[in-house]
Amino acid sequence: MKARDIMTGEIATATRETSLEALAKMLVERDCGAIPIVESASSRKPVGIVTDRDIVCRVVAAGKDALKLTAADCMSSPCVTGTPDTRLDECCTAMEKAQVRRLVIVDADGACCGMLSQADIARRVAGKAGEVVQEVSRSARVST
């Protein structure tokens, strides 16, 4: 199985200059948890990603004014990518290694063409989801 078999295509993207308010609205409208940030609307080459958690942890919890900030102020960069032809086991390994819940899928030109998430894996691949969730969620924190 390859990424193309279970990925979500036709996803929303934004640029570094997109306001966080606009990003939040995109997350709600698309019922998703992340928006890839691209170099430009025409190139669609990913330079980062903003998740709903990024907005909460890096902006709201830090007491910053989300209405004055842009994607560049809280995006994670670089984002982890794969291609539509990347084998699913390789996608899972990449997600586990980077401890991310989403893989941005890029075409042969490097342009964003989809997203592969833990949810995609959970819905379509029995058994593998638990492994990915466990490895991605593994905490690097030391307990006391």
Side-chain angles (χ1 to χ4, degrees):
M1 185 174 289
K2 296 184 177 183
R4 77 170 65 255
D5 299 321
I6 64 170
M7 72 182 204
T8 300
E10 297 184 30
I11 60 169
T13 61
T15 65
R16 289 179 184 98
E17 297 79 24
T18 303
S19 72
L20 287 188
E21 181 180 15
L23 272 172
K25 288 178 181 177
M26 291 169 74
L27 291 167
V28 171
E29 289 167 0
R30 294 292 187 123
D31 189 27
C32 64
I35 303 288
I37 306 305
V38 295
E39 191 174 83
S40 69
S42 58
S43 80
R44 292 183 55 89
K45 292 186 182 203
V47 295
I49 190 167
V50 172
T51 67
D52 46 8
R53 190 171 196 282
D54 291 331
I55 295 170
V56 170
C57 294
R58 295 180 181 164
V59 178
V60 178
K64 297 178 182 175
D65 185 351
L67 297 177
K68 294 181 180 177
L69 301 177
T70 66
D73 295 311
C74 76
M75 72 180 192
S76 296
S77 183
C79 55
V80 183
T81 63
T83 69
D85 292 321
T86 303
R87 290 189 341 252
L88 186 58
D89 62 316
E90 293 172 337
C91 292
C92 291
T93 299
M95 292 166 73
E96 290 167 4
K97 183 178 178 183
Q99 289 193 287
V100 296
R101 291 170 171 77
R102 297 164 184 90
L103 198 64
V104 176
I105 305 299
V106 297
D107 64 19
D109 296 323
C112 186
C113 66
M115 183 101 69
L116 178 67
S117 69
Q118 281 182 339
D120 295 324
I121 296 166
R123 282 192 297 267
R124 297 181 181 101
V125 184
K128 189 64 182 169
E131 290 176 40
V132 175
V133 170
Q134 182 177 10
E135 288 303 310
V136 168
S137 301
R138 184 172 27 98
S139 177
R141 289 178 270 163
V142 178
S143 58
T144 56

